[in-house]
Amino acid sequence: GENVEQHPSTLSVQEGDSAVIKCTYSDSASNYFPWYKQELGKRPQLIIDIRSNVGEKKDQRIAVTLNKTAKHFSLHITETQPEDSAVYFCAANDQAGTALIFGKGTTLSVSS
Amino acid sequence: KAGVTQTPRYLIKTRGQQVTLSCSPISGHRSVSWYQQTPGQGLQFLFEYFSETQRNKGNFPGRFSGRQFSNSRSEMNVSTLELGDSALYLCASRGTGGSNTEAFFGQGTRLTVV
């Protein structure tokens, strides 16, 4: 079945720096790759997603890139702010297309 | 539009007991998925229901089961609880747009097994 690896597990940056989180997946049939942000004690919320017919997508300070050949996708956050501090999860849909398989998460800390 | 609602928010159970968790999806959403979240393991897929049918199941023992009702509300049941079942259980709903659409999560039920 699908397996998603996420790196790094923790990331500390200074306010204003960029942060990059990388994920790899195993199932070439996956065609949907969302990123979720989970603040402490809160539910995961979608921040950006990308489908396999697109190589890059940007939304203000957040961008995601997808390389289907290499089976990896990355989240880029520019001009980080303290409120970006949270756990970020990448995911890919499984072959049946009914489940999201998540990476183990990256704890991002932005210090001012 | 109301979000995904999970009840109860917190539960404390004893080993060997069973527990039932409830999830009410966003109105109009027919797909409900359940995930187990534990520290260091991220979110692990339990099962997915669509129109009262289980379409997919993750790699969990048979002690974990679920069902979906005609109004799309879903329940999951864990029997013969073990200490390792302590976790945050999240459900997520999706609309009818297909598998590559946004999954909306509830706030979760925090289960503690003592």
Side-chain angles (χ1 to χ4, degrees):
Chain A
E2 174 68 283
N3 184 50
V4 176
E5 300 276 345
Q6 182 172 349
H7 299 281
S9 57
T10 60
L11 180 59
S12 296
V13 300
Q14 290 284 103
E15 183 177 2
D17 287 350
S18 295
V20 180
I21 303 170
K22 299 183 178 182
C23 290
T24 60
Y25 63 99
S26 60
D27 190 345
S28 56
S30 295
N31 61 9
Y32 178 62
F33 308 91
W35 287 87
Y36 282 82
K37 175 183 179 182
Q38 187 176 31
E39 296 176 25
L40 193 61
K42 297 194 174 179
R43 72 188 77 194
Q45 292 197 294
L46 182 76
I47 55 171
I48 195 166
D49 57 12
I50 192 166
R51 293 172 178 80
S52 58
N53 58 342
V54 175
E56 185 173 356
K57 184 177 178 181
K58 191 172 180 181
D59 183 3
Q60 300 183 334
R61 297 186 296 109
I62 294 173
V64 58
T65 58
L66 171 64
N67 183 328
K68 284 219 74 180
T69 304
K71 294 184 193 167
H72 66 71
F73 55 115
S74 301
L75 177 71
H76 304 253
I77 305 174
T78 59
E79 300 172 23
T80 53
Q81 300 166 3
E83 50 264 41
D84 293 328
S85 296
V87 181
Y88 291 81
F89 293 97
C90 63
N93 60 346
D94 70 342
Q95 195 170 58
T98 55
L100 288 176
I101 308 304
F102 285 84
K104 288 192 165 69
T106 296
T107 301
L108 174 64
S109 300
V110 181
S111 53
S112 54
Chain B
K1 198 172 187 181
V4 179
T5 303
Q6 291 188 245
T7 57
R9 291 290 311 279
Y10 302 93
L11 267 178
I12 299 176
K13 290 286 187 179
T14 304
R15 271 181 302 174
Q17 287 187 312
Q18 75 165 15
V19 67
T20 300
L21 314 181
S22 179
C23 173
S24 293
I26 291 172
S27 178
H29 284 193
R30 293 161 64 190
S31 168
V32 174
S33 300
W34 288 88
Y35 294 85
Q36 182 194 66
Q37 185 174 23
T38 53
Q41 289 301 312
L43 289 84
Q44 294 184 281
F45 172 72
L46 282 155
F47 26 66
E48 190 261 1
Y49 286 88
F50 183 85
S51 293
E52 301 179 69
T53 300
Q54 185 183 90
R55 295 197 299 183
N56 201 349
K57 189 177 191 306
N59 190 25
F60 278 82
R63 300 185 297 106
F64 292 81
S65 63
R67 59 179 176 169
Q68 186 181 35
F69 301 95
S70 58
N71 61 357
S72 293
R73 189 178 70 86
S74 178
E75 289 181 346
M76 68 163 280
N77 183 276
V78 188
S79 62
T80 321
L81 284 165
E82 301 176 0
L83 295 178
D85 297 333
S86 295
L88 180 66
Y89 289 88
L90 292 160
C91 78
S93 76
R94 288 202 309 258
T96 56
S99 61
N100 60 350
T101 56
E102 180 178 357
F104 294 85
F105 282 88
Q107 288 192 300
T109 294
R110 172 78 60 187
L111 173 64
T112 302
V113 183
V114 297

